[in-house]
Amino acid sequence: MKLKKPLKDPNKKSAIQKFVGGKIPHYLAVVAFLYAFVGVGWSFLNRNAEKNERERIEKYINETIDERLNKVMPDTTGNVLRQYLPKKKK
């Protein structure tokens, strides 16, 4: 008996199985692990990073508020400009 189509090989891997079983996912997993490990390790070494960040943000906010308030209500006054009003007709 001759078949029109050859039978599929049950041991043949699909493209996805080849990718998942390959070396690329292994390297990606190693890189992800090292990234997470370095991130966690760095946070343990630099325990006051959150405190420094909070202080930096508060300093920036205070400087911005002071700058905006100084624009609206300056600390010093400049030259007094004389305003000329039109003369009234008699």
Side-chain angles (χ1 to χ4, degrees), residues 64-80:
T64 306
I65 290 174
D66 289 343
E67 179 185 333
R68 299 273 169 95
L69 282 176
N70 200 13
K71 283 183 180 179
V72 175
M73 298 178 288
D75 295 339
T76 59
T77 58
N79 297 333
V80 177

Side-chain angles (χ1 to χ4, degrees), residues 19-75:
F19 177 78
V20 172
K23 293 183 179 179
I24 296 173
H26 173 73
Y27 293 138
L28 290 176
V30 169
V31 169
F33 176 76
L34 289 176
Y35 178 77
F37 184 73
V38 168
V40 170
W42 185 254
S43 68
F44 280 125
L45 293 175
N46 194 4
R47 291 189 183 263
N48 60 355
E50 185 177 339
K51 178 184 167 190
N52 291 342
E53 184 70 16
R54 189 179 311 117
E55 289 175 358
R56 187 185 67 80
I57 290 173
E58 287 177 4
K59 180 180 174 187
Y60 173 75
I61 290 173
N62 289 335
E63 288 175 358
T64 306
I65 290 174
D66 289 343
E67 179 185 333
R68 299 273 169 95
L69 282 176
N70 200 13
K71 283 183 180 179
V72 175
M73 298 178 288
D75 295 339

